């Protein structure tokens, strides 16, 4: 399965500022996914990022708040903009499995964000 | 959209006993059902998955069953060990097309008591 490097692993940020999270994959993948996991909760999909097109956002998430870049098939960034304490969560990127028959999803190690 | 319900939210068993976690899904077009294990402070790890063309899949002490008619699937862990203690998430997605996004259940905190 793909190996994902995600950084930063954690950060403490001031409200009103922005943080950009990076996700690097060791192989080319068509789709990359960004999830949010609030403390003690399940994973919620923020958006799907395809190379060469705008990201597709889920209900409740907007591009102005969570802009995403996908410049190539191995890299993506998620920015959390104008942060508030409610944005304190773990943010994870995920990629589909490689190969036409394998749909196992792999997750990055996550970014633990605390907004103060 | 898809909705995945997971039960129970917490489960405590004695070491050596079996544990069963159940999920239901709403979208009959979903055809891929993975299970993830998440230890405290770590990323979710895929432990087993099943596709809609099979009814059961086993991997050592772990098995998953799928009932497409009833739209539910279950995770079975036999001979539980303390290291099985974690949060388990079920998920569902539709393979094919251009969107493989996963919808997760709310998770089950499994505690295996020595």
């Amino acid at each position: 399965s793909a190996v994902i490097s995600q950084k930063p692993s954690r950060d403490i940020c001031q409200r009103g500022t922005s943080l950009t999270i990076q996700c690097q994959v060791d192989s080319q993948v068509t789709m990359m996914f960004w999830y949010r996991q609030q403390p003690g909760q399940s994973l919620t999909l923020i958006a799907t990022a395809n190379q060469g097109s705008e990201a597709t956002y889920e209900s409740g998430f907007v591009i102005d708040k969570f802009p995403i870049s996908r410049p190539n098939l191995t890299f993506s960034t998620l920015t959390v903009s104008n942060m508030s304490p409610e944005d304190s969560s773990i943010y994870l990127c995920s990629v589909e499995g490689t190969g036409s028959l394998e749909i196992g999803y792999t997750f990055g190690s996550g970014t633990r964000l605390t907004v103060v | 959209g898809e909705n995945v319900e997971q039960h129970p939210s917490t489960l405590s068993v004695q070491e050596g006993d079996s544990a069963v976690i159940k999920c239901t899904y709403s979208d009959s077009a979903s055809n891929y059902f993975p299970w993830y294990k998440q230890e405290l402070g770590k990323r979710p790890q895929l432990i087993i998955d099943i596709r809609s063309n099979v009814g059961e899949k086993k991997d050592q002490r772990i098995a998953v069953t799928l009932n497409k008619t009833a739209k539910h699937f279950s995770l079975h862990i036999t001979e539980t060990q303390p290291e099985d203690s974690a949060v388990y998430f079920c998920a569902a997605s539709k393979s094919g097309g251009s969107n493989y996004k996963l919808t997760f259940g709310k998770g089950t905190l499994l505690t295996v008591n020595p």
Side-chain angles (χ1 to χ4, degrees):
Chain A
S1 59
V3 176
I4 305 173
S5 299
Q6 185 175 341
K7 60 181 181 181
S9 58
R10 60 178 63 228
D11 208 341
I12 300 173
C13 300
Q14 297 291 323
R15 66 177 67 201
T17 62
S18 298
L19 175 71
T20 295
I21 302 167
Q22 300 179 5
C23 187
Q24 177 76 52
V25 190
D26 69 343
S27 58
Q28 294 184 339
V29 292
T30 303
M31 290 178 286
M32 297 179 74
F33 306 88
W34 287 97
Y35 286 85
R36 181 175 74 183
Q37 187 174 28
Q38 295 178 305
Q41 302 296 314
S42 185
L43 292 90
T44 301
L45 182 65
I46 298 171
T48 303
N50 290 333
Q51 192 266 339
S53 63
E54 283 200 2
T56 302
Y57 289 82
E58 298 298 303
S59 176
F61 298 96
V62 296
I63 188 171
D64 289 346
K65 177 66 176 178
F66 297 101
I68 288 172
S69 76
R70 185 77 201 278
N72 57 53
L73 292 174
T74 64
F75 186 78
S76 179
T77 66
L78 169 76
T79 299
V80 187
S81 302
N82 188 24
M83 289 183 285
S84 66
E86 293 71 35
D87 294 321
S88 297
S89 286
I90 298 173
Y91 293 85
L92 300 116
C93 64
S94 176
V95 301
E96 58 186 329
T98 54
S100 61
L101 299 179
E102 183 56 63
I103 317 178
Y105 294 77
T106 303
F107 285 87
S109 55
T111 297
R112 183 179 297 270
L113 171 62
T114 303
V115 183
V116 298
Chain B
E2 176 65 276
N3 182 49
V4 178
E5 299 284 342
Q6 183 173 347
H7 299 280
S9 57
T10 61
L11 179 59
S12 181
V13 300
Q14 289 299 121
E15 183 176 0
D17 288 350
S18 295
V20 180
I21 302 171
K22 299 181 179 181
C23 289
T24 60
Y25 60 99
S26 61
D27 191 341
S28 57
S30 290
N31 56 9
Y32 175 67
F33 308 94
W35 286 89
Y36 286 84
K37 175 183 180 181
Q38 188 176 32
E39 297 175 334
L40 188 63
K42 296 189 176 180
R43 76 187 80 185
Q45 296 275 10
L46 178 68
I47 57 172
I48 196 168
D49 57 12
I50 192 168
R51 292 174 176 77
S52 59
N53 58 345
V54 297
E56 184 176 6
K57 183 177 179 181
K58 288 184 179 180
D59 183 3
Q60 300 182 353
R61 297 186 296 109
I62 294 174
V64 56
T65 59
L66 171 65
N67 183 326
K68 283 188 62 179
T69 303
K71 290 190 283 189
H72 67 70
F73 56 111
S74 300
L75 177 71
H76 304 253
I77 306 174
T78 59
E79 301 173 18
T80 54
Q81 301 167 3
E83 50 266 39
D84 294 328
S85 297
V87 178
Y88 291 80
F89 293 99
C90 63
S93 80
K94 290 178 274 193
S95 65
S98 61
N99 193 341
Y100 294 92
K101 66 178 183 181
L102 290 172
T103 301
F104 284 85
K106 292 188 182 301
T108 297
L109 174 61
L110 174 64
T111 302
V112 180
N113 302 299

